Amino acid sequence: MDFSGWEKLSLLDYDNRISCTLFTAGCNFRCPFCHNGPLVLDPSKAPKIPWDDIMEYLKKRKNVLDAVCVSGGEPTLMPDLLDKLSDIKSLGYLIKLDTNGTRPEVVEIAVHQGLVDYVAMDIKDSFEKYPAITGTLNVDLDAIQKTIHFLMSGEVDYEFRTTLIAEYHTEKDMEEIGSYLQGAKRHFLQRYIDNQDCIAHGLHMVPYQKALVFQAILQKYIPEVSLRGYDR
Ligand code: SF4
C-alpha cells in the first residue's frame, strides 16, 4: 500500500527534530474535527506516492532530516506498515508513529522490532464520549486501553494528546481522562483549527483560558501537561 501524502520537511511534527511526514489514507474513525477528511472519507481517490520516490528522497536528505513521522489516516491499518518502517529505519532515521490506539498489536510489534522511537496517541475524550467524538458507533475501547497500558509500560517514548473542541470537551471529561491516564508521562492539549478539509464544519476551538483550566485538571494526574498551538 502506498502513502497518500507527504510533507517533505516539517519543523512541527517531531519535537526538536527536522522531519519528513508521511500520510496514509483510510481510518476506522470519522472524527468530525479530522483535518484529513478527503484521505479518511475516500481513500480510493487518494493520491499514491511511489515508495521508491519516498525512499530516494529520504536517502538524499539524510544530511538535512533527522526523523520521519508516519501519520494518517490511521497508519496502523496500513497492511505493510512494518515493512515500510523497516525500510525507513534502515536509513538511520528516527521514526514517530501517530495512532488512534485501536490496533495495539501493531504498535507493540513496531516497538518490539525497534521500528519506532516515539508514539503519539490520540485520546479523543472520556471513554463514554468516544462514539460521538469519533463518529463511530462501535469503538473498541478495550483495544484503546491496551495501547494506553502498553505505552505507559515505558518501552518506548510517547505522548498522549487531545484536540480540544468546545462542543465536546468539559471539565468532567478532563477529570475522567486524567484518572485513566494517571501516571502517564506527558499529555498535550491541542488547539483545534477549522479548515476546508475537516470532516465537519462549525466546530470551535476551546479558548485559551478554558484550556488552562483543563491543563490544571490534568496536572493533578500527569506530571507534564502542555498546551500545543496556543502560543500567544
Ligand atoms: S482525526 Fe485521526 S482518528 Fe480521527 S478520523 Fe482523522 S485520522 Fe482518523
Side-chain angles (χ1 to χ4, degrees):
M1 182 174 161
D2 292 306
F3 285 99
S4 295
W6 58 336
E7 194 170 336
K8 291 184 173 180
L9 197 149
S10 169
L11 301 175
L12 300 175
D13 290 335
Y14 198 138
D15 282 350
N16 302 317
R17 306 282 181 183
I18 303 172
S19 65
C20 167
T21 301
L22 307 175
F23 298 92
T24 61
C27 186
N28 47 359
F29 284 166
R30 295 288 182 273
C31 309
F33 59 87
C34 180
H35 276 175
N36 289 326
L39 284 186
V40 165
L41 297 176
D42 200 350
S44 65
K45 289 194 185 140
K48 296 186 187 336
I49 302 169
W51 184 232
D52 288 349
D53 291 1
I54 294 173
M55 286 298 284
E56 196 58 34
Y57 174 79
L58 292 177
K59 278 178 199 162
K60 281 189 189 152
R61 296 296 186 277
K62 274 201 68 183
N63 55 342
V64 178
L65 300 169
D66 307 308
V68 176
C69 300
V70 179
S71 191
E74 174 49 39
T76 62
L77 298 175
M78 189 182 207
D80 57 348
L81 175 71
L82 296 174
D83 293 335
K84 296 279 199 303
L85 295 179
S86 181
D87 287 351
I88 297 167
K89 212 56 182 142
S90 72
L91 300 178
Y93 283 108
L94 293 168
I95 299 180
K96 170 177 174 255
L97 177 67
D98 291 345
T99 182
N100 61 21
T102 50
R103 299 206 64 205
E105 65 282 3
V106 176
V107 176
E108 287 186 31
I109 293 170
V111 169
H112 290 153
Q113 293 186 358
L115 301 177
V116 295
D117 302 278
Y118 194 88
V119 178
M121 176 178 169
D122 296 337
I123 303 294
K124 303 292 184 187
D125 204 335
S126 56
F127 285 151
E128 68 181 13
K129 284 192 175 168
Y130 255 74
I133 201 160
T134 63
T136 309
L137 280 179
N138 298 309
V139 178
D140 187 349
L141 290 174
D142 287 344
I144 288 167
Q145 284 172 303
K146 212 170 164 188
T147 309
I148 290 172
H149 292 145
F150 174 70
L151 293 178
M152 286 177 62
S153 75
E155 288 191 51
V156 67
D157 201 7
Y158 69 94
E159 69 181 49
F160 295 121
R161 59 191 190 178
T162 301
T163 300
L164 297 177
I165 312 291
E167 284 78 4
Y168 288 92
H169 294 105
T170 65
E171 293 177 31
K172 181 169 173 278
D173 294 324
M174 294 302 127
E175 292 284 357
E176 290 184 20
I177 290 171
S179 68
Y180 58 69
L181 295 185
Q182 183 143 31
K185 195 171 185 176
R186 68 176 69 90
H187 194 118
F188 287 92
L189 294 174
Q190 305 185 142
R191 179 171 177 248
Y192 167 70
I193 300 170
D194 194 3
N195 78 21
Q196 61 179 12
D197 285 337
C198 285
I199 288 182
H201 296 284
L203 298 173
H204 298 90
M205 63 172 278
V206 167
Y208 177 67
Q209 292 300 334
K210 185 77 172 180
L212 287 179
V213 172
F214 288 173
Q215 180 185 30
I217 292 171
L218 285 175
Q219 281 170 334
K220 294 189 294 183
Y221 305 91
I222 302 168
E224 188 185 330
V225 183
S226 306
L227 302 186
R228 183 179 273 154
Y230 278 94
D231 312 322
R232 338 171 73 221

